[in-house]
Amino acid sequence: MTRLLCSKSRVAPLKRQTIPRLELCAAVLGAQLASKIKIDLQLTCPTWFWTDSEIVLAWINSSSAAFNTFVANRIAIIQEITQAEQWRHVSSRCNPADVLSRGISPTALKDCTLWFCGPLFLHGKDTT
């Protein structure tokens, strides 16, 4: 069974960033949040991380030394907390994080199964 345990979000900084850099910051935030939850709740279960950015996945699977300081520092954080094998790709249409970032009313959010339960494929159901 898959259910939302907690979430965390940040607004984009005033200094304009590229979409891949914003996605990378989101990946860092997710890795840090998962690490803290596992420690606080003393969980030892396997963990997977999902992103809809193929660029971020390529960065995570690369050496951080190959990139500029901004990207390299964030990749190093992700690689310190997680293993590259834990990261997976999810299509934007199945990405629960996009529910909030694209805007949704509180009324619609309370009934949003994508937000609270995740995409159907995590439950063994077809998404087509």
Side-chain angles (χ1 to χ4, degrees), residues 57-118:
L57 284 176
W59 285 343
I60 291 169
N61 285 291
S62 302
S63 168
S64 63
F67 301 102
N68 66 42
T69 304
F70 182 94
V71 173
N73 288 343
R74 284 152 184 83
I75 292 171
I77 292 168
I78 291 169
Q79 290 175 341
E80 186 177 308
I81 298 170
T82 69
Q83 300 296 313
E85 300 79 34
Q86 292 177 273
W87 287 87
R88 306 279 193 276
H89 182 263
V90 62
S91 70
S92 290
R93 125 183 115 76
C94 294
N95 187 356
D98 285 350
V99 170
L100 295 185
S101 65
R102 292 188 176 138
I104 188 169
S105 71
T107 304
L109 181 62
K110 74 177 182 64
D111 296 321
C112 182
T113 56
L114 178 59
W115 175 250
F116 288 104
C117 299

Side-chain angles (χ1 to χ4, degrees), residues 6-23:
C6 74
S7 67
K8 189 169 186 177
S9 182
R10 293 205 174 114
V11 294
L14 291 176
K15 181 181 177 189
R16 296 195 57 90
Q17 293 288 341
T18 64
I19 298 295
R21 282 184 170 200
L22 292 172
E23 294 279 359

Side-chain angles (χ1 to χ4, degrees), residues 32-70:
Q32 290 172 329
L33 181 61
S35 176
K36 179 153 179 49
I37 288 169
K38 288 184 82 169
I39 290 167
D40 290 349
L41 297 180
Q42 300 175 352
L43 298 175
T44 58
C45 59
T47 306
W48 289 269
F49 300 90
W50 299 85
T51 179
D52 59 6
S53 174
E54 293 183 41
I55 293 170
V56 169
L57 284 176
W59 285 343
I60 291 169
N61 285 291
S62 302
S63 168
S64 63
F67 301 102
N68 66 42
T69 304
F70 182 94

